[in-house]
Each structure stands twice: as C-alpha cells, then as structure tokens.
Amino acid sequence: MLIFFVLSCKGISKKNNHNDTGEKPFSTKDIPNANTQYDTIYTVKLAGNVQLIDALITKLKQADFTFEEQDSRGEPSYINYTENRITIVEGNGIRKYFAISKKPEKDSKNLYPDFWIWVYKFQTDDIAQQHYEQLNKVQSSERYCNGKSPEKLVLNGNEVFHLSTRAEAFRTYIEKYDEFIKSFR
C-alpha cells in the first residue's frame, strides 16, 4: 500500500506541490488562503434527459438499491491543491441523488454499499465537454495525495455526472454505474 501511495504522488512537481512560502505541501488546512484562485462553473436547468435517470433507477432497483433525489443545497466545489485553486459548481442545473443497497456487503451484516451522484446540466454538449475536462483535470491530478474517497466523473451529452462513495470497498459500484451512464444513448 505504501508503494502505491508513493507511486500515485510521483511526478507532482515540487514547485506546484508547495505553497507560496515553499515550506510545505498544500493540504486541506492550507486552502483557502489569500492566494487561492476561484473558478465558477454555471449550470442551467433544462428539460430532457430523464430517460437516463429512469433507466438508472430501473437498473439500481434490479440490483436491490434504493435511489432517491436529495436536496442539492450548497455548491459542490473541487479543490486543486497543486495549483491553489477552487472550482465551484453553481446554478439551478444541479441535481443530487443517493443510492443505497438493501442488502449488506458480502461477509458483513451491517455494511450496506452506497454512493452519491451529482448531475450538472449545461446548455450544450460542447459546454459540458469543456467543464468535464476542467473538473476531470482536478480529479485526475490529485490522485490519492489528499486521501480522497473514490470518485468518478462521467460525461453524457450535456450533463456531467459525479459519482462518489464513502469507502474504497464500494468503488466497484461507482465504476459499474459510471460505465452504464457513459454508454447510455
């Protein structure tokens, strides 16, 4: 595990991995600071693409999951520790869902797999692609250096889906459903 951690952080330059004083790497307690830069991604509320969510609900129910929309108050944010930058997603085109299994994980009596899906809707496919690339850059560049929980970003049409779970043991679930979302037409 230690080798995996070292290799996952390998290649992050020392220049980008330190704060302005050059004394230590940025961490959650270092950001935000006076030099933090902010980006905002604006979503829009549009009709359509309910077929994907309906198909996902059906697939999850077949796998003995409950799936419910949750209040999406608050703006999701993405922190890039190497660049001292925070990207905030806001607007009325944000939806949040929670899925939890009705069956416990194998070899467990009380550990139920669960995950969240944030959906960000944009005016066009091209705008969604641009914001997907922007968010994916942060997700893929940070690797495990922040101790992040398993997460996946998926693009489908004019929507970006962010799947997240609380435990590494549940990564297979978000990978399974990210493939479903990605391939849905």
Side-chain angles (χ1 to χ4, degrees), residues 26-28 31-32 36 77-88 138-139 141-142 146 148:
F26 283 117
S27 68
T28 54
I31 294 179
T36 301
S77 63
Y78 296 79
I79 302 172
N80 184 330
Y81 292 96
T82 58
E83 295 180 10
N84 194 14
R85 179 179 295 276
I86 298 175
T87 302
I88 299 167
V138 174
Q139 292 291 10
S141 70
E142 295 303 312
N146 296 328
K148 287 185 159 196

Side-chain angles (χ1 to χ4, degrees), residues 1-10 143-145 147-148 150 167-169 171:
M1 190 65 153
L2 180 60
I3 292 170
F4 179 73
F5 177 75
V6 170
L7 291 176
S8 69
C9 294
K10 187 177 181 179
R143 300 190 189 167
Y144 294 103
C145 301
K148 287 185 159 196
E168 187 63 40
R171 178 181 294 276

Side-chain angles (χ1 to χ4, degrees), residues 73-139:
R73 274 189 258 164
E75 290 118 8
S77 63
Y78 296 79
I79 302 172
N80 184 330
Y81 292 96
T82 58
E83 295 180 10
N84 194 14
R85 179 179 295 276
I86 298 175
T87 302
I88 299 167
V89 181
E90 61 181 46
N92 57 7
I94 301 173
R95 298 184 321 273
K96 181 181 177 185
Y97 300 94
F98 180 68
I100 186 167
S101 178
K102 295 176 187 175
K103 295 180 182 177
E105 187 71 1
K106 297 174 192 170
D107 302 326
S108 169
K109 293 182 181 179
N110 60 359
L111 185 61
Y112 294 84
D114 58 27
F115 59 93
W116 292 264
I117 300 176
W118 290 83
V119 183
Y120 311 134
K121 188 172 278 219
F122 300 99
Q123 191 72 35
T124 66
D125 293 6
D126 290 338
I127 294 171
Q129 176 73 38
Q130 176 187 0
H131 292 312
Y132 167 79
E133 290 171 7
Q134 180 181 0
L135 295 174
N136 200 40
K137 179 183 173 190
V138 174
Q139 292 291 10

Side-chain angles (χ1 to χ4, degrees), residues 14-15 17-27 29-30:
K14 290 183 179 180
K15 178 184 174 204
N17 200 26
H18 289 77
N19 63 21
D20 291 340
T21 64
E23 293 176 7
K24 61 181 180 176
F26 283 117
S27 68
K29 66 181 186 309
D30 299 323

Side-chain angles (χ1 to χ4, degrees), residues 36-48:
T36 301
Q37 297 177 350
Y38 292 87
D39 297 317
T40 303
I41 293 175
Y42 295 98
T43 63
V44 294
K45 186 173 185 173
L46 298 170

